[in-house]
DNA sequence: GAGTGGTCTAGACCACTCG
DNA sequence: GAGTGGTCTAGACCACTCT
């Protein structure tokens, strides 16, 4: 432990434990050893050690049982559910994402957009409509509405990166999002845009994203080719 | 605060605060007052008050800012993402769910089922195949594979309640699940089962559920009528 | 009965935000 | 500079599990 570091001690410890688990130093199913000894060995207080362990329990890497001990989970999978960026996901998967900006303009908010963003109906909002490609093939059609003035990026920057990065770059801290995922058949127009036949199944996602004060910063209506894309995520049960 | 109760003090406090927020006693955007005063007023120590507040921050009801204070979120929506039971969801929505058990038997595990459940390929596993109805209309076709002996419920009990309730009733603590949500066109057979035309869009979900030791307890391949059902959930951003 | 995690206390110092 | 949350300590007692 490095006491001169600005990184909190509990966080240093949780990262060391996580690394040990990921790299197999702590085998799945093995016991971690009790908190008191661990605290004494590291020269930390018990609450600090507990805080480190609790953060890994919250992440789903450890399980604690009263009277038994703290155990490394047999988990086959990791990766938590995150508020993800399609652009970043594709890039991380080596899919070479690209973006075509189809529209980038302000328009009066419809009732639905106004309700989602919490602005008056008819007030001006920014509409960004994009086609997302992977390996040069269309993957998804993305329509987003944002409050005007939230980001100052033009079409050029939108073609280089994802929307979430631009929102974060504007100093906004994302906090939560409400999503609805469904499916429907492609219209002729949608099919032409996504290189799918009319009637092909499409995955739809509507999402409203909120910042850390609870204000809506983005409302998206997205359509994905079901033949090329599915949502994958991990849920934790609330205790 | 009731010190004679077996309910932890931090939990009593977090429930009181949550109730005050839900019922509007604490307005969105308002500050909670500092921890020290709150602790003194309630006769608690500061770490105990912090634990209560932190649990609500984790739930997404409050936001804390160093140097500023603790604020009630302007949140428009609540309901966290949970490992949900379709049966319970429909029942809570007043949709009068019902179940037809189509199959309930053991069979040798296919490679895919074996990999998901972590059992040898070809070993016997329980297959439960059900049709879920709402208001008497088909909603979804549910296929689940489980380790044999995990639950001892026959078809009769499966028609009365959801699978998760039976698993929990068997003394198993659910911990996490890995889900994949996609879409595809209905085959003729699927269409007939769900009262949809062939080629109609269907929502698909595959899910492996794990207990608190990390062992897989259930693998499900489910198909929902996209015209009747969509997934709705809220995500929190990891700090 | 021994060992574990769960809860709780009463302090302390620091980093940050704001006026 | 005043006020806030963030971190940390060194104890204490309790509830539970297992042998």
């Amino acid at each position: 432990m490095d006491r001169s570091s600005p990184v909190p001690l509990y966080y240093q410890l949780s990262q060391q434990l996580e690394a040990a688990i990921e790299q197999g130093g702590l085998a799945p199913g093995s016991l971690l050893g009790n908190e008191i000894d661990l605290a004494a060995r590291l020269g930390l207080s018990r609450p600090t050690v507990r805080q480190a362990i609790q953060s890994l329990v919250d992440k789903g890497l450890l399980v604690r049982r009263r009277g038994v001990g703290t155990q490394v989970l047999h988990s086959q999978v990791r990766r938590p559910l995150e508020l993800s960026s399609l652009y970043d996901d594709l890039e991380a998967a080596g899919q070479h994402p690209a973006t075509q900006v189809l529209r980038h303009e302000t328009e009066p908010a419809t009732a639905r957009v106004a309700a989602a963003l919490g602005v008056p109906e008819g007030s001006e909002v920014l509409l960004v409509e994009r086609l997302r490609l992977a390996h040069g093939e269309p993957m998804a059609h993305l329509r987003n509405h944002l409050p005007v003035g939230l980001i100052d990026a033009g079409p050029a920057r939108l073609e280089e990166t994802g929307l979430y990065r631009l929102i974060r770059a504007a100093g906004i801290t994302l906090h939560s999002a409400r999503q609805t995922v469904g499916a429907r058949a492609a219209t002729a127009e949608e099919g032409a845009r996504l290189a799918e036949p009319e009637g092909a199944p499409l995955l739809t996602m509507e999402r409203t994203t909120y910042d850390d004060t609870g204000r809506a910063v983005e409302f998206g209506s997205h359509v994905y080719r079901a033949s090329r894309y599915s949502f994958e995520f991990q849920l934790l049960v609330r205790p």
Side-chain angles (χ1 to χ4, degrees), chain A:
Chain A
M1 316 298 320
D2 176 7
R3 282 182 180 273
S4 67
S5 159
V7 177
L9 294 172
Y10 80 89
Y11 193 74
Q12 292 182 35
L13 175 54
S14 76
Q15 287 202 314
Q16 287 179 21
L17 290 173
E18 186 169 355
I21 293 170
E22 295 293 343
Q23 290 157 21
L26 286 171
S30 64
L31 288 169
L32 206 63
N34 75 51
E35 300 170 342
I36 317 269
D37 288 355
L38 195 54
R41 189 140 30 92
L42 297 170
L44 298 174
S45 70
R46 186 182 165 206
T48 301
V49 171
R50 276 184 67 80
Q51 193 175 358
I53 292 175
Q54 188 59 48
S55 72
L56 296 180
V57 171
D58 293 341
K59 273 194 181 180
L61 297 176
L62 297 175
V63 187
R64 309 166 85 149
R65 283 176 228 258
R66 197 190 293 222
V68 178
T70 302
Q71 217 170 358
V72 179
L73 211 53
H74 281 124
S75 85
Q76 318 198 8
V77 273
R78 293 282 147 67
R79 190 148 17 135
L81 176 59
E82 292 196 38
L83 182 53
S84 63
S85 153
L86 176 58
Y87 189 92
D88 294 346
D89 287 353
L90 291 174
E91 193 166 54
Q95 300 259 334
H96 304 288
T99 307
Q100 288 175 15
V101 176
L102 307 177
R103 296 174 68 186
H104 179 277
E105 58 201 41
T106 64
E107 65 172 24
T110 63
R112 177 171 219 175
V113 169
L117 292 181
V119 300
E121 188 173 342
S123 65
E124 290 291 310
V125 291
L126 176 64
L127 163 63
V128 175
E129 196 172 325
R130 295 166 295 162
L131 194 65
R132 177 81 84 228
L133 313 168
H135 290 304
E137 289 264 328
M139 284 282 296
H141 178 243
L142 314 173
R143 272 174 66 91
N144 295 88
H145 286 88
L146 296 85
V148 288
L150 195 75
I151 61 172
D152 59 354
R157 290 203 62 196
L158 278 164
E159 303 222 327
E160 289 162 9
T161 185
L163 185 58
Y164 276 11
R165 280 199 204 162
L166 293 175
I167 292 177
R168 289 193 169 107
I172 292 165
T173 304
L174 298 179
H175 178 270
S176 65
R178 183 140 195 88
Q179 299 190 338
T180 303
V181 174
R184 67 157 187 264
T187 64
E189 186 189 359
E190 283 173 333
R193 206 152 40 200
L194 293 172
E196 291 275 348
E198 184 175 353
L202 300 177
L203 257 183
T204 63
M205 197 244 298
E206 285 206 340
R207 170 162 68 188
T208 308
T209 309
Y210 303 92
D211 74 2
D212 58 2
T213 71
R215 261 182 289 271
V217 296
E218 176 255 341
F219 172 66
S221 297
H222 301 174
V223 178
Y224 304 82
R225 296 173 73 177
S227 58
R228 304 290 181 107
Y229 191 75
S230 56
F231 293 97
E232 189 171 358
F233 47 89
Q234 182 172 8
L235 307 188
L236 296 180
V237 177
R238 304 185 152 270

